[in-house]
Amino acid sequence: MDKNYEVIVVGGGHAGAEAAAAASRMGAKTLLVSMNLQTIGQMSCNPAMGGIAKGQIVREIDALGGLSGIITDKTAIQFRMLNRSKGPAMWSPRVQSDRWRFAEEWRLALEAIPTLDFFQDMVVDLISEGDMIKGVVTGIGTRFYAPKVILTNGTFLNGLIHIGEKQFGGGRAGERASLGLTKVLEGFGFEAGRMKTGTPPRVDGRSLDYSRMEEQKGDEQPEKFSFSSETRALVKQRSCYITYTSPEVHEALKEGFDRSPMFNGAIESKGPRYCPSIEDKINRFADKDRHQIFVEPEGWNTVEVYVNGFSTSLPEEVQEKALRKIAGFENAKIFRPGYAIEYDFFQPTQLKKTLETRLMKGLYFAGQINGTTGYEEAACQGLMAAINAVRSLRGCEDFILGRNEAYIGVLIDDLVSKGTEEPYRMFTSRAEHRILLRQDNADSRLSEKGFEIGLLSKDRLEEFHVKQSRQKLLMKYIKGLSVKMEEVNPILEAKGLSPIDQTVKFDRVLSRPQLGFSDFKSLGSLSTMVSKEGILQEDIDSVEIALKYSGYIDKEVDNANKLDRLENLKIPMDFDYSLLKSMSYEAREKLTKLKPVTIKEAKAVSGVSPSDISVLLVYMGR
């Protein structure tokens, strides 16, 4: 067996899968080492990809040539575009996935890459020479050598699972923890910490009464994640369902609080602020008498159901008693109880923006080892670490995305610059350029870059150029089209809008926020042009957004520049952040505690968003 590689990827989760795929597809001889090759690409928690800001990340991965978008499309059972009622900067695609098919597609995709090898074992040690990585040592003593090593250990580093007062080692239910590597890294001088996450019980869908729940169907006209023609939008979909907890459910849960590791001191590490356990929710939000529960199928053909919103580490019998008081769950049968898991992570401030560690040349960290939470955040880190590892091997310059180029750039900049005290999750509010970083234009932002680094194929780039040509043609036509009063006034008046009093360019009419392209299907010349030139709905959507938001985009750039100019503005030491009700609770809490001296210091606080800084500046300006 060959023991020499160019890149070694440790871990086969979302970060590891993207890293292994990217490195090998860029031509590097790559080895993926996983404790269990049967769980490559496994969805450890919820069976879904995307969501608020996360959907943008998946589309960015796809535009760069990563595989998460394609795998997601091939295994989707439902598609929804979230936040449609808000502006397009907030629109976020989300897919409900078939958990087993998702992992299968990842395994098949990876096995199809000729330059990628696999080995099943735990990595327990690292081989180094001075401050340079040289390879890894597995549990059975096998030594593999490579000048680049990417660690994507997920929740496995000294993983400890909690169910009530029971504790046992594990990186995921039914799988052992990874032991020894944390101590090795600390020996190199790395600073380690502990974090917590949790997962809800899974139940038998045959035991649920769906008539007592609200059905949540997918979009009537579902889209897809990947910009590639390799995948197709769903024709049929599976529904999810919504139900709610109640005061009775909360009382049943409270009966187990004295045995909850959350409250009895067994768990000391911090969990994700925006995905709290159900016991944490009812404790922190005591004024609320109910919380939403999403009932999500785990695949096309399985009866197993994921109870989203009910993450818990309470004793099994407490989980069962409380679950059965939820509407529709009266006869619920638990397949797998919920649990919390604590694991080691390393402060990401110890990384360069390439995700290479500062202390050890050639060693990269990606995913939950950096304190993040979520499949999407992990996948994009794996992708970026692999890209930079291979480019370094080839003597190319670092590949770093700016905050104005991608959510991936925002995420990595936040981690490396600010670090994190709790599991980091991406939100649209973290991006000061979010109108520029929309889910619909990820290919416009990143396709050329993906091709240049050798990940996006020539065919994919040509597809993008054809799409770009269609959109330019449509934009030019709309800006050059003159519309008469008799053509558009009936449409305007039907919507209660002011009519035009002379012939005007169509783009001026379409820029009104209450109007959409679909309102003008009766304009014969327009519909003829769309049909003749093969204009697609995605082209129409992108052009419409660009027209409507051109002023906002310019304003956003100006605001970002203004923030940069005001970085050295002093903040009074006795400033009362509680007065800033428009600022997020997290920002008020952290700024009150840390008392930054300048705006620059406030911007560097983890959890403080650009919008929070804007609120602070407005208040100080008064």
Side-chain angles (χ1 to χ4, degrees), residues 190 349-353 356-361 416:
F190 288 99
T349 50
Q350 300 170 100
L351 303 176
K352 302 174 185 177
K353 288 192 178 181
E356 183 181 26
T357 64
R358 297 181 185 276
L359 291 175
M360 184 69 66
K361 293 176 183 176
V416 174

Side-chain angles (χ1 to χ4, degrees), residues 130-150:
D131 64 348
M132 298 185 69
I133 197 74
K134 292 295 181 179
V136 303
V137 182
T138 74
I140 61 173
T142 307
R143 298 167 78 88
F144 293 102
Y145 299 91
K148 304 292 178 183
V149 173
I150 304 172

Side-chain angles (χ1 to χ4, degrees), residues 139-401:
I140 61 173
T142 307
R143 298 167 78 88
F144 293 102
Y145 299 91
K148 304 292 178 183
V149 173
I150 304 172
L151 298 184
T152 69
N153 302 80
T155 59
F156 282 78
L157 290 178
N158 291 327
L160 182 65
I161 292 174
H162 299 263
I163 302 177
E165 294 171 304
K166 301 173 187 173
Q167 295 180 358
F168 47 95
R172 191 161 46 204
E175 296 183 63
R176 59 182 175 153
S178 175
L179 307 174
L181 203 52
T182 295
K183 189 174 181 180
V184 170
L185 290 167
E186 287 178 325
F188 290 143
F190 288 99
E191 175 198 346
R194 294 284 277 176
M195 281 191 176
K196 177 198 86 80
T197 189
T199 192
R202 274 68 156 185
V203 301
D204 186 339
R206 297 169 299 184
S207 65
L208 303 183
D209 182 358
Y210 292 103
S211 67
R212 301 203 61 202
M213 308 178 198
E214 303 168 18
E215 186 175 10
Q216 187 181 54
K217 296 182 178 181
D219 289 350
E220 287 187 16
Q221 295 181 310
E223 299 177 39
K224 61 192 186 80
F225 264 116
S226 180
F227 295 100
S228 168
S229 58
E230 182 181 340
T231 63
R232 297 284 181 271
L234 286 167
V235 175
K236 64 173 184 175
Q237 303 184 68
R238 279 203 69 175
S239 292
C240 297
Y241 293 83
I242 297 174
T243 185
Y244 298 88
T245 62
S246 65
E248 291 74 26
V249 175
H250 298 176
E251 287 305 313
L253 289 166
K254 288 177 183 177
E255 290 177 15
F257 275 16
D258 61 329
R259 291 182 289 154
S260 166
M262 288 284 298
F263 302 128
N264 65 15
I267 294 178
E268 296 180 0
S269 50
K270 288 191 176 181
R273 177 185 294 261
Y274 297 101
C275 188
S277 65
I278 188 65
E279 55 264 40
D280 196 21
K281 277 191 234 180
I282 63 176
N283 187 55
R284 282 168 51 191
F285 308 108
D287 56 318
K288 294 194 173 184
D289 58 8
R290 72 174 193 170
H291 295 281
Q292 203 168 44
I293 300 293
F294 294 93
V295 183
E296 302 176 346
E298 299 238 337
W300 284 115
N301 301 312
T302 181
V303 298
E304 190 168 356
V305 167
Y306 182 87
V307 190
N308 197 340
F310 205 84
S311 291
T312 181
S313 56
L314 287 165
E316 286 178 71
E317 64 274 16
V318 177
Q319 294 184 35
E320 184 174 24
K321 181 178 179 180
L323 265 180
R324 289 185 171 178
K325 293 183 180 296
I326 297 174
F329 279 72
E330 291 81 1
N331 299 303
K333 296 179 181 178
I334 293 180
F335 274 3
R336 293 183 268 176
Y339 61 88
I341 179 168
E342 289 187 286
Y343 55 93
D344 294 340
F345 83 105
F346 291 83
Q347 268 298 342
T349 50
Q350 300 170 100
L351 303 176
K352 302 174 185 177
K353 288 192 178 181
T354 57
L355 298 183
E356 183 181 26
T357 64
R358 297 181 185 276
L359 291 175
M360 184 69 66
K361 293 176 183 176
L363 180 63
Y364 297 74
F365 292 172
Q368 284 176 289
I369 193 173
N370 290 335
T372 60
T373 181
Y375 307 145
E376 305 81 3
E377 290 91 340
C380 74
Q381 290 174 71
L383 179 73
M384 295 296 286
I387 290 171
N388 280 300
V390 177
R391 287 178 69 81
S392 177
L393 282 170
R394 306 293 185 249
C396 301
E397 64 181 16
D398 296 339
F399 182 70
I400 296 170
L401 294 171

Side-chain angles (χ1 to χ4, degrees), residues 48-56 78-96 216-217 219 223 225 294 425 428 439:
M49 287 289 281
I52 307 302
K54 294 167 175 280
Q56 282 87 327
Q78 186 194 84
F79 180 96
R80 292 179 66 226
M81 185 67 77
L82 307 183
N83 280 344
R84 276 283 193 186
S85 61
K86 299 180 180 179
M90 306 293 282
W91 296 357
S92 301
R94 183 182 188 272
V95 154
Q96 200 70 30
Q216 187 181 54
K217 296 182 178 181
D219 289 350
E223 299 177 39
F225 264 116
F294 294 93
R425 180 179 180 180
T428 51
Q439 53 82 30

